[in-house]
Amino acid sequence: MRATELVCDVVIIGGGLAGSALAYALAQTPLSVALVEARDPRRLEQPSFDARATALANGSQRILSTLGIWDSVAASVTPIRSIHISERGRFGVSRILAAEEGVPALGYLLENRILGAALWDALGRAQRFTSIAPARLESLTAGPDEVVARVESQGSETMIRARLAVAADGASSQVRDELGITVIADDYAQHAVILNCLPEVPHAGRAFERFTTDGPVAMLPLTGNRVAAVWTLPRPEAEHVMQLDDREFTRALQASFGYRLGRFAEVGRRSAYPLLRLRSASVVAPRTALIGSAAVNLHPVAGQGFNLALRDVAILAEVLSDSILESGSDADPGAAEPLERYRVWRHKDQDRVAAFTHGLIKFFGYASAPVEVSRGLGLMAFDLIPGAKAALARHTMGLSGRLSRLARGLPLLPPRASS
Ligand SMILES: Cc1cc2nc3c(=O)[nH]c(=O)nc-3n(C[C@H](O)[C@H](O)[C@H](O)COP(=O)(O)OP(=O)(O)OC[C@H]3O[C@@H](n4cnc5c(N)ncnc54)[C@H](O)[C@@H]3O)c2cc1C
């Protein structure tokens, strides 16, 4: 097979939510970008774009807004006015209210396929952008001056030469494997069963997280009074509920979540995701950066995965823009210096969010009886300590730590430097 050659500044492997958002952010800089995606983006069925919905933190809303994506999805988002945290069979209950935090919403629910379609639509109008999809990465090698990605697409091969490769190819990243980047991984032995349902009682913008002995179950508000259910269960139980007919399934879900939203009048199509905690040993390697689930993959309990990924996107795009500001057309996006800045800037946030998410799972999932009593008390105490709640709220809203320019509403580059 003869290979076509493509030369560009940045090649992104993986066009899920993280990869497509980065491609679009970089389209606002003079860098030329190639995006390689295994699935056909017109069908929007890749893991990023399925029936799942994502709780977008306020920081993510700002990033998407600065990028010019928010307006095209705004009619489809549902603001979260309150988060209600409880534990089945315990007396502790905690509520975080947008009004108490002085914000119009604690975050926004948006279906992945809608965000994915908006990003790929916008990419259709981007300058200096090439998409190669459906296509699979065959191999990737990093040399001192360039990376070479060999990509197979419907019987033809493209050899992409770029100065920087970005791994946005998800939790089982092939780029990571090709480059020998090690990971620390833990299998939670749990699955998240996800589906959309229609409850009897209006959700009124309330999000619910209920901790049960099997795992957390979340109900997140969607448009049309639907809720997105994320039901975490040990693997055998998840396999069992996936086999049930709708009536039996509804009964089981109701028994786990309770009746805070009344009865579920309708339940949608279910899918199950194995849950894995994964952390790449480094988010950079020579001429390579890792973003999204390829860098850090989290349990969905706190709805932080994509929010973290979007901060990867905003910060990587910013350090690359800074090197353009400093060196002009001589800027090398794959040079060690911008990559090191990216690594250092992301480190604390990734550590904190990974530890927080895993801590929640350990705290609620694997405690012995005496701890269970204090768990209830802990939730009550948490409700009574406004400082603790405010800290959690700011954190989950994506507004803590050093914010990127995009999260502050500022463009990556001044207009004269962006073309
Ligand atoms: C049940 C569940 C609920 C969640 N809820 C939330 C939430 O409320 N809030 C939140 O912030 N996060 C949430 N997350 C996390 C969020 O879904 C992920 O963080 C996000 O999807 C990561 O996107 P990604 O683009 O990094 O990876 P992926 O979505 O895995 O995308 C990777 C892409 O790379 C492509 N690809 C893979 N290999 C190759 C290859 N070799 N060649 C070419 N292309 C390739 C794939 O086709 C895919 O499109 C949830 C996760 C789960 C499982």
Side-chain angles (χ1 to χ4, degrees):
M1 201 185 331
R2 256 197 63 215
T4 317
E5 195 176 87
L6 173 71
V7 179
C8 61
D9 293 313
V10 181
V11 57
I12 302 170
I13 311 297
L17 290 179
S20 54
L22 179 68
Y24 191 62
L26 295 182
Q28 310 192 1
T29 74
L31 296 169
S32 55
V33 173
L35 178 60
V36 179
E37 165 54 42
R39 318 262 178 129
D40 184 345
R42 283 166 307 183
R43 296 181 59 202
L44 300 182
E45 58 176 18
Q46 56 260 67
S48 265
F49 302 153
D50 54 21
R52 267 183 293 166
T54 291
L56 295 167
N58 282 305
S60 298
Q61 185 269 334
R62 286 198 202 156
I63 293 171
L64 292 170
S65 200
T66 317
L67 286 174
I69 296 292
W70 190 254
D71 283 352
S72 51
V73 296
S76 309
V77 303
T78 307
I80 303 172
R81 307 283 181 210
S82 64
I83 302 174
H84 183 287
I85 305 165
S86 63
E87 194 177 1
R88 191 170 68 189
R90 306 259 160 231
F91 49 88
V93 164
S94 185
R95 284 180 193 84
I96 303 176
L97 306 175
E100 264 179 23
E101 303 307 324
V103 289
L106 292 163
Y108 299 87
L109 251 292
L110 178 60
E111 284 156 274
N112 289 9
R113 65 184 172 78
I114 295 177
L115 180 55
L119 285 164
W120 275 88
D121 263 11
L123 281 171
R125 299 182 295 275
Q127 307 274 312
R128 299 173 291 275
F129 171 74
T130 311
S131 80
I132 307 176
R136 286 209 71 83
L137 180 70
E138 295 272 286
S139 68
L140 182 80
T141 48
D145 302 316
E146 63 173 15
V147 286
V148 179
R150 283 188 174 274
V151 167
E152 197 271 327
S153 173
Q154 294 166 323
S156 64
E157 193 177 85
T158 310
M159 186 167 72
I160 307 170
R161 295 183 178 282
R163 289 186 292 168
L164 173 67
V166 177
D169 53 347
S172 38
S173 167
Q174 189 190 339
V175 173
R176 236 179 22 219
D177 292 348
E178 292 275 334
L179 299 178
I181 303 169
T182 54
V183 286
I184 303 152
D186 264 328
D187 187 346
Y188 282 116
Q190 287 185 320
H191 275 48
V193 174
I194 65 124
L195 69 151
N196 298 335
C197 346
L198 188 66
E200 266 176 352
V201 174
H203 59 59
R206 291 171 298 165
F208 296 88
E209 179 104 56
R210 192 170 199 223
F211 290 88
T212 77
T213 44
D214 281 339
V217 49
M219 294 287 163
L220 307 164
L222 286 177
T223 51
N225 197 42
R226 293 167 308 145
V227 291
V230 182
W231 188 12
T232 310
L233 290 163
R235 196 168 293 146
E237 280 79 349
E239 280 160 9
H240 171 70
V241 300
M242 287 298 289
Q243 304 299 325
L244 297 176
D245 65 29
D246 278 0
R247 232 174 52 148
E248 290 169 327
F249 178 83
T250 308
R251 204 176 301 135
L253 178 62
Q254 200 92 60
S256 180
F257 176 69
Y259 289 84
R260 282 182 209 275
L261 286 166
R263 290 185 185 283
F264 293 119
E266 269 177 55
V267 292
R269 196 161 61 87
R270 307 156 220 166
S271 24
Y273 293 85
L275 300 180
L276 189 75
R277 175 168 76 132
L278 185 148
R279 183 89 195 259
S280 164
S282 174
V283 297
V284 297
R287 295 211 163 264
T288 310
L290 277 61
I291 64 168
S293 303
V296 180
N297 192 58
L298 300 172
H299 192 291
V301 64
Q304 290 295 303
F306 178 63
N307 293 299
L308 195 68
L310 205 51
R311 298 202 284 279
D312 294 345
V313 165
I315 288 168
L316 182 58
E318 181 164 329
V319 299
L320 298 181
S321 301
D322 284 347
S323 71
I324 292 166
L325 279 176
E326 285 154 19
S327 313
S329 56
D330 290 339
D332 176 356
E337 210 203 337
L339 293 183
E340 180 58 10
R341 277 194 230 160
Y342 168 69
R343 187 192 69 76
V344 170
W345 194 348
R346 292 309 293 132
H347 191 70
K348 210 161 147 193
D349 187 24
Q350 287 169 335
D351 261 4
R352 215 170 29 188
V353 173
F356 166 69
T357 302
H358 187 61
L360 267 180
I361 285 302
K362 270 179 69 179
F363 184 66
F364 286 103
Y366 306 106
S368 58
V371 184
E372 283 180 18
V373 177
S374 60
R375 257 172 19 198
L377 293 171
L379 269 183
M380 273 186 76
F382 181 71
D383 206 38
L384 296 171
I385 306 167
K389 274 184 20 179
L392 175 68
R394 281 195 75 70
H395 196 70
T396 52
M397 285 192 286
L399 298 174
S400 60
R402 183 180 158 206
L403 297 184
S404 62
R405 280 207 281 279
L406 290 175
R408 285 181 286 135
L410 302 170
L412 286 169
L413 289 168
R416 69 183 157 69
S418 52
S419 52

